[in-house]
Amino acid sequence: MTVQTILPILLVDDELRFRQGLRTLLSFYSATGTTTFEIVGEAATVDQALSLIHSQRPALVLLDLELAQGDGVELLTRLRGSAFAGKVLVLSAHQEDDWVFRAMQSGASGYVFKTHLAAQLCAAITTVLRDEIYLPPEVATQFFRLFHYYAGRTVQSRSRIHLTEREQEVLHWLVRGASNDQIARNLYITIATVKAHLSAIFEKLQVTSRTQAIVAALKLGLVQA
């Protein structure tokens, strides 16, 4: 007789329809596998999620990065400093390298594109519960190539990199995944000015792309994820 394992899961997404779809998908997995996925709660904000994590102690959190209040990276960062022993699997509509790096740097155990959910969610859950990292095949190679590149080279010490106050502000929004247009609006400057600051930042960090700048900034401690 097969013993059914019960896995408590928390859903964190501010879209009710998406959470309903997740429930249906997880119910299907429960009916056809050896694990019963028990949804112990649903949250739409960081505070709701933290409260449910504390009270329900889920083994797995399925997390969107864009929430009604706060964001998934904030939740990951706060969990990293807590006694939470479960896993967090990010489910996001964002497929840009910047978003994947931010999530993984902040402590996520895996990342799944929402457009590939039906094909990848089951494998992703299985992978992270084995204490392994799950990344979409189309980004895994790029992620680990850049990770080893920065881990294996001697990066300039933080004290030798002199960013202006404005460059620090631009870098802050860049790491948060903001576009040039969003950075311009947040800082009340023109897009051309944003591009000029980014060029200066890239030169000082000795990188050539937004993704490399984010990784370098996080590794050097210039910003927090």
Side-chain angles (χ1 to χ4, degrees):
M1 180 178 178
T2 302
V3 178
Q4 197 80 359
T5 302
I6 298 177
L7 183 76
I9 293 182
L10 175 66
L11 309 183
V12 185
D13 194 295
D14 61 356
E15 294 185 15
L16 176 59
R17 183 174 297 180
F18 181 75
R19 298 200 307 267
Q20 292 172 335
L22 269 181
R23 279 186 171 273
T24 301
L25 193 55
L26 292 170
S27 294
F28 172 76
Y29 293 156
S30 296
T32 57
T34 59
T35 301
T36 296
F37 297 101
E38 180 185 7
I39 298 173
V40 296
E42 299 184 17
T45 69
V46 171
D47 288 341
Q48 289 174 359
L50 288 170
S51 177
L52 285 168
I53 287 170
H54 177 73
S55 63
Q56 301 298 323
R57 300 187 181 279
L60 178 66
V61 177
L62 300 182
L63 172 67
D64 187 15
L65 291 181
E66 294 186 289
L67 303 174
Q69 296 175 19
D71 59 35
V73 169
E74 178 188 349
L75 178 60
L76 284 164
T77 302
R78 292 172 70 174
L79 286 179
R80 190 168 55 187
S82 72
F84 178 61
K87 305 293 182 184
V88 180
L89 178 61
V90 169
L91 313 179
S92 178
H94 289 281
Q95 301 187 16
E96 303 90 340
D97 288 346
D98 297 0
W99 287 80
V100 179
F101 273 95
R102 286 179 63 222
M104 301 309 292
Q105 285 278 350
S106 300
S109 294
Y111 197 107
V112 178
F113 299 150
K114 285 187 174 182
T115 53
H116 300 165
L117 204 61
Q120 296 182 358
L121 181 59
C122 187
I125 291 175
T126 301
T127 299
V128 300
L129 291 178
R130 291 199 305 256
D131 288 327
E132 298 175 2
I133 298 296
Y134 183 87
L135 288 172
E138 52 267 54
V139 302
T141 300
Q142 171 73 353
F143 179 89
F144 285 108
R145 183 185 70 80
L146 287 174
F147 176 82
H148 288 299
Y149 172 72
Y150 281 102
R153 72 189 280 242
T154 301
V155 188
Q156 297 179 67
S157 66
R158 180 178 180 178
S159 62
R160 292 180 56 195
I161 297 176
H162 303 289
L163 298 180
T164 66
E165 182 177 351
R166 182 62 85 186
E167 287 167 355
Q168 287 276 10
E169 293 172 337
V170 170
L171 186 59
H172 165 80
W173 286 107
L174 178 67
V175 170
R176 291 183 63 84
S179 66
N180 287 358
D181 182 59
Q182 291 170 326
I183 295 173
R185 291 202 305 271
N186 286 322
L187 298 181
Y188 302 100
I189 57 179
T190 67
I191 293 178
T193 302
V194 171
K195 291 179 178 178
H197 286 310
L198 286 174
S199 295
I201 291 169
F202 288 2
E203 181 177 354
K204 291 178 180 180
L205 296 183
Q206 297 185 350
V207 299
T208 58
S209 73
R210 298 170 76 91
T211 297
Q212 291 178 357
I214 290 170
V215 176
L218 291 170
K219 188 171 181 62
L220 288 166
L222 297 174
V223 292
Q224 297 297 316

